[in-house]
PDB file of all heavy atoms in Angstrom:
ATOM      1  N   LEU A  48     104.660 137.739 155.811  1.00  0.00           N
ATOM      2  CA  LEU A  48     103.863 138.964 155.940  1.00  0.00           C
ATOM      3  C   LEU A  48     104.401 139.874 157.029  1.00  0.00           C
ATOM      4  O   LEU A  48     104.261 141.102 156.923  1.00  0.00           O
ATOM      5  CB  LEU A  48     102.402 138.610 156.164  1.00  0.00           C
ATOM      6  CG  LEU A  48     101.675 138.039 154.933  1.00  0.00           C
ATOM      7  CD1 LEU A  48     100.235 137.709 155.262  1.00  0.00           C
ATOM      8  CD2 LEU A  48     101.743 139.006 153.753  1.00  0.00           C
ATOM      9  N   HIS A  49     105.012 139.318 158.088  1.00  0.00           N
ATOM     10  CA  HIS A  49     105.674 140.170 159.070  1.00  0.00           C
ATOM     11  C   HIS A  49     106.743 141.012 158.390  1.00  0.00           C
ATOM     12  O   HIS A  49     106.841 142.236 158.615  1.00  0.00           O
ATOM     13  CB  HIS A  49     106.312 139.311 160.172  1.00  0.00           C
ATOM     14  CG  HIS A  49     105.375 138.888 161.233  1.00  0.00           C
ATOM     15  ND1 HIS A  49     105.732 138.019 162.256  1.00  0.00           N
ATOM     16  CD2 HIS A  49     104.068 139.231 161.488  1.00  0.00           C
ATOM     17  CE1 HIS A  49     104.705 137.834 163.044  1.00  0.00           C
ATOM     18  NE2 HIS A  49     103.689 138.539 162.600  1.00  0.00           N
ATOM     19  N   GLU A  50     107.549 140.379 157.561  1.00  0.00           N
ATOM     20  CA  GLU A  50     108.613 141.090 156.857  1.00  0.00           C
ATOM     21  C   GLU A  50     108.032 142.179 155.958  1.00  0.00           C
ATOM     22  O   GLU A  50     108.553 143.297 155.883  1.00  0.00           O
ATOM     23  CB  GLU A  50     109.460 140.111 156.050  1.00  0.00           C
ATOM     24  CG  GLU A  50     110.617 140.741 155.285  1.00  0.00           C
ATOM     25  CD  GLU A  50     111.696 141.283 156.217  1.00  0.00           C
ATOM     26  OE1 GLU A  50     111.731 140.896 157.396  1.00  0.00           O
ATOM     27  OE2 GLU A  50     112.523 142.086 155.754  1.00  0.00           O
ATOM     28  N   PHE A  51     106.956 141.837 155.277  1.00  0.00           N
ATOM     29  CA  PHE A  51     106.313 142.811 154.395  1.00  0.00           C
ATOM     30  C   PHE A  51     105.871 144.054 155.176  1.00  0.00           C
ATOM     31  O   PHE A  51     106.144 145.189 154.775  1.00  0.00           O
ATOM     32  CB  PHE A  51     105.109 142.168 153.693  1.00  0.00           C
ATOM     33  CG  PHE A  51     104.252 143.135 152.933  1.00  0.00           C
ATOM     34  CD1 PHE A  51     104.657 143.637 151.701  1.00  0.00           C
ATOM     35  CD2 PHE A  51     103.044 143.569 153.457  1.00  0.00           C
ATOM     36  CE1 PHE A  51     103.864 144.556 151.004  1.00  0.00           C
ATOM     37  CE2 PHE A  51     102.249 144.472 152.769  1.00  0.00           C
ATOM     38  CZ  PHE A  51     102.662 144.969 151.542  1.00  0.00           C
ATOM     39  N   TYR A  52     105.202 143.835 156.294  1.00  0.00           N
ATOM     40  CA  TYR A  52     104.672 144.974 157.058  1.00  0.00           C
ATOM     41  C   TYR A  52     105.762 145.742 157.803  1.00  0.00           C
ATOM     42  O   TYR A  52     105.689 146.973 157.946  1.00  0.00           O
ATOM     43  CB  TYR A  52     103.579 144.500 158.021  1.00  0.00           C
ATOM     44  CG  TYR A  52     102.260 144.268 157.305  1.00  0.00           C
ATOM     45  CD1 TYR A  52     101.701 142.999 157.226  1.00  0.00           C
ATOM     46  CD2 TYR A  52     101.608 145.339 156.689  1.00  0.00           C
ATOM     47  CE1 TYR A  52     100.500 142.802 156.551  1.00  0.00           C
ATOM     48  CE2 TYR A  52     100.410 145.141 156.017  1.00  0.00           C
ATOM     49  CZ  TYR A  52      99.876 143.877 155.940  1.00  0.00           C
ATOM     50  OH  TYR A  52      98.691 143.676 155.264  1.00  0.00           O
ATOM     51  N   VAL A  53     106.816 145.058 158.253  1.00  0.00           N
ATOM     52  CA  VAL A  53     107.944 145.751 158.875  1.00  0.00           C
ATOM     53  C   VAL A  53     108.565 146.721 157.878  1.00  0.00           C
ATOM     54  O   VAL A  53     108.890 147.865 158.198  1.00  0.00           O
ATOM     55  CB  VAL A  53     108.980 144.749 159.398  1.00  0.00           C
ATOM     56  CG1 VAL A  53     110.301 145.462 159.728  1.00  0.00           C
ATOM     57  CG2 VAL A  53     108.453 144.035 160.639  1.00  0.00           C
ATOM     58  N   ARG A  54     108.724 146.265 156.625  1.00  0.00           N
ATOM     59  CA  ARG A  54     109.315 147.129 155.592  1.00  0.00           C
ATOM     60  C   ARG A  54     108.401 148.301 155.245  1.00  0.00           C
ATOM     61  O   ARG A  54     108.880 149.311 154.739  1.00  0.00           O
ATOM     62  CB  ARG A  54     109.628 146.302 154.346  1.00  0.00           C
ATOM     63  CG  ARG A  54     110.716 145.255 154.555  1.00  0.00           C
ATOM     64  CD  ARG A  54     111.169 144.655 153.242  1.00  0.00           C
ATOM     65  NE  ARG A  54     112.125 143.571 153.440  1.00  0.00           N
ATOM     66  CZ  ARG A  54     112.890 143.061 152.482  1.00  0.00           C
ATOM     67  NH1 ARG A  54     112.820 143.549 151.258  1.00  0.00           N
ATOM     68  NH2 ARG A  54     113.724 142.085 152.744  1.00  0.00           N
ATOM     69  N   LYS A  55     107.102 148.151 155.497  1.00  0.00           N
ATOM     70  CA  LYS A  55     106.172 149.247 155.264  1.00  0.00           C
ATOM     71  C   LYS A  55     106.101 150.185 156.450  1.00  0.00           C
ATOM     72  O   LYS A  55     105.389 151.190 156.413  1.00  0.00           O
ATOM     73  CB  LYS A  55     104.766 148.679 154.995  1.00  0.00           C
ATOM     74  CG  LYS A  55     104.595 148.076 153.600  1.00  0.00           C
ATOM     75  CD  LYS A  55     103.126 147.794 153.301  1.00  0.00           C
ATOM     76  CE  LYS A  55     102.356 149.101 153.202  1.00  0.00           C
ATOM     77  NZ  LYS A  55     100.956 148.910 152.785  1.00  0.00           N
ATOM     78  N   GLY A  56     106.793 149.838 157.551  1.00  0.00           N
ATOM     79  CA  GLY A  56     106.773 150.677 158.734  1.00  0.00           C
ATOM     80  C   GLY A  56     105.599 150.422 159.659  1.00  0.00           C
ATOM     81  O   GLY A  56     105.263 151.235 160.524  1.00  0.00           O
ATOM     82  N   VAL A  57     104.925 149.255 159.489  1.00  0.00           N
ATOM     83  CA  VAL A  57     103.790 148.905 160.321  1.00  0.00           C
ATOM     84  C   VAL A  57     104.288 148.252 161.602  1.00  0.00           C
ATOM     85  O   VAL A  57     105.164 147.372 161.564  1.00  0.00           O
ATOM     86  CB  VAL A  57     102.828 147.958 159.578  1.00  0.00           C
ATOM     87  CG1 VAL A  57     101.713 147.478 160.500  1.00  0.00           C
ATOM     88  CG2 VAL A  57     102.257 148.639 158.340  1.00  0.00           C
ATOM     89  N   GLN A  58     103.735 148.654 162.744  1.00  0.00           N
ATOM     90  CA  GLN A  58     104.089 148.059 164.030  1.00  0.00           C
ATOM     91  C   GLN A  58     103.428 146.680 164.107  1.00  0.00           C
ATOM     92  O   GLN A  58     102.203 146.579 164.096  1.00  0.00           O
ATOM     93  CB  GLN A  58     103.595 148.933 165.188  1.00  0.00           C
ATOM     94  CG  GLN A  58     103.930 148.390 166.562  1.00  0.00           C
ATOM     95  CD  GLN A  58     105.443 148.358 166.830  1.00  0.00           C
ATOM     96  OE1 GLN A  58     106.165 149.267 166.406  1.00  0.00           O
ATOM     97  NE2 GLN A  58     105.895 147.328 167.503  1.00  0.00           N
TER      98      GLN A  58
END
Side-chain angles (χ1 to χ4, degrees):
L48 288 179
H49 278 174
E50 181 67 17
F51 171 77
Y52 282 116
V53 166
R54 294 191 185 195
K55 285 191 67 175
V57 174
Q58 181 65 37

